[in-house]
Amino acid sequence: MADTQQVDDSKPDDGKQAARAERKAARLAKEIGAFAREHGGAEGQIAYLGQKGARIVLVGEDGGWGDLVAPTHAVALSAVEKSGITVHEDFDGDFAAKVRTGPYEWTRMAGIQLGGPKNA
């Protein structure tokens, strides 16, 4: 009969990492909730950033927008679930049409290409 032994491959700090991820998700959810209250509600989309994590793009009912970065896609998903906002798979169609840009965005992004004022 072969002698087998059960090996525990889990790292001793896995519990700490899970707790840290849970705290980060709770903080992000709180920030998402604050954004939603300030903008009359919000919807979001999670974009993968590679090793840097995931970006949570938020669009308020008033057209205001912003984003938050989570260390992992799982933390981002947990944060939006805790906040209770609607999450879209893609940033297109009716969801993208809700975004309202102002002079700052035009100056920073499209303004330069369209002959707008240079960023100072």
Side-chain angles (χ1 to χ4, degrees):
M1 208 191 274
D3 187 19
T4 60
Q5 183 178 2
Q6 184 74 22
V7 177
D8 184 8
D9 288 336
S10 64
K11 297 176 185 174
D13 65 344
D14 281 351
K16 289 181 183 179
Q17 288 178 345
R20 192 175 306 126
E22 184 62 29
R23 287 191 303 272
K24 181 65 175 176
R27 281 193 300 272
L28 287 168
K30 188 175 179 181
E31 291 181 51
I32 293 167
F35 178 90
R37 284 188 297 280
E38 184 177 327
H39 295 277
E43 298 175 49
Q45 190 259 339
I46 300 174
Y48 180 67
L49 293 176
Q51 290 182 338
K52 294 187 182 217
R55 172 173 281 132
I56 305 167
V57 180
L58 302 169
V59 179
E61 289 300 316
D62 63 357
W65 61 278
D67 65 348
L68 299 166
V69 176
T72 66
H73 189 273
V75 170
L77 190 56
S78 177
V80 296
E81 287 173 355
K82 288 177 187 299
S83 71
I85 66 169
T86 300
V87 181
H88 297 268
E89 290 292 320
D90 296 310
F91 196 86
D92 61 1
D94 293 334
F95 180 52
K98 290 183 177 186
V99 175
R100 300 290 172 245
T101 56
Y104 173 79
E105 290 83 10
W106 279 101
T107 317
R108 294 281 299 158
M109 294 183 273
I112 295 170
Q113 289 88 7
L114 298 173
K118 298 205 182 295
N119 292 325

